[in-house]
Amino acid sequence: MMSADPRFELAYHGFNHGTPGARTEDFTQEWRGFPSRQAAVEQTRAGLEIFRRTVGSAPQGGKYGGWDYNDFAGDAVDDCGFLWWCRDWTP
């Protein structure tokens, strides 16, 4: 219902948010943990497919979970065809 309401825009925020570790400090944010650009693209496309099946359309944009990412994350986001992406958080 919200996806059809013009007052709202649903955005992509990640597939699993990250990988837990033995301690809280060992948690790795999803976009920081991808071993390659291709791995990032594949998992993001899997998440987008779930989004499409659930909502009926793909999101136009999104943000990195935890605002953390690696050197090839921007290229992977671009490969996935997003119109916009929140790449940094500056208070």
Side-chain angles (χ1 to χ4, degrees):
M1 192 165 86
M2 285 180 67
S3 66
D5 189 323
R7 297 175 300 163
F8 302 102
E9 180 176 4
L10 302 181
Y12 187 78
H13 187 58
F15 185 83
N16 64 14
H17 225 286
T19 306
R23 302 172 308 140
T24 302
E25 297 82 13
D26 298 330
F27 181 81
T28 302
Q29 293 288 346
E30 180 176 8
W31 283 91
R32 170 67 62 184
F34 288 125
S36 68
R37 177 176 173 175
Q38 186 59 36
V41 170
E42 288 174 8
Q43 185 164 302
T44 302
R45 286 184 177 157
L48 288 171
E49 182 55 31
I50 293 169
F51 198 105
R52 278 188 202 93
R53 285 195 323 259
T54 304
V55 176
S57 63
Q60 298 289 311
K63 73 171 266 317
Y64 299 118
W67 298 105
D68 203 3
Y69 51 92
N70 57 29
D71 292 339
F72 52 77
D75 291 329
V77 166
D78 292 343
D79 290 347
C80 291
F82 290 102
L83 179 63
W84 60 269
W85 194 263
C86 290
R87 297 176 194 273
D88 293 296
W89 178 73
T90 306

